[in-house]
Amino acid sequence: MTSPDDAPTMPAMTRDVLIQVLSAAVGVEQKSDSFEVGEGHHVTFYVGQPGQAMVIGEIAAGTLQEGFVEVVVRETHTTTFLDYDAVHAVATRPPKEEEKRRAGFA
């Protein structure tokens, strides 16, 4: 049996890893050192440590600086500056498809 201490761990986030993540994310357009989240798409950063993460949701855009990442929240236009190693995870969600109405159902 293996203990939780033997479980593989993900390395700390780096600028290069974050570039790869954002490049793979649907709805995120990357331009050199910046990225923009498309209309209707949702990007969330989880900041902190596993099990103790703070959520920065609805990110609209960001800039990948040499030593930190700058993210802007869509609705409030709040800008947050983060160390790369503080970013624990990135989640993306595509736009919701409008539900199609079926005959006989309201």
Side-chain angles (χ1 to χ4, degrees), residues 18-34:
L18 189 54
I19 288 171
Q20 290 176 18
V21 168
L22 295 171
S23 294
V26 175
V28 176
E29 184 179 330
Q30 191 171 355
K31 302 174 192 171
S32 186
D33 292 334
S34 63

Side-chain angles (χ1 to χ4, degrees), residues 33-95:
D33 292 334
S34 63
F35 65 93
E36 192 170 314
V37 180
E39 190 66 38
H41 290 269
H42 306 276
V43 172
T44 301
F45 279 27
Y46 293 85
V47 182
Q49 301 300 318
Q52 298 178 341
M54 178 179 86
V55 175
I56 301 175
E58 298 301 326
I59 293 172
T63 305
L64 305 171
Q65 304 290 350
E66 199 57 41
F68 60 92
V69 60
E70 173 184 346
V71 295
V72 179
V73 174
R74 188 179 311 275
E75 191 171 309
T76 63
H77 305 287
T78 302
T79 300
T80 304
F81 301 89
L82 305 163
D83 283 331
Y84 286 104
D85 61 358
V87 179
H88 172 65
V90 177
T92 63
R93 184 170 41 105

Side-chain angles (χ1 to χ4, degrees), residues 9-14 17 87-88:
T9 59
M10 183 174 163
M13 186 68 71
T14 64
V17 171
V87 179
H88 172 65

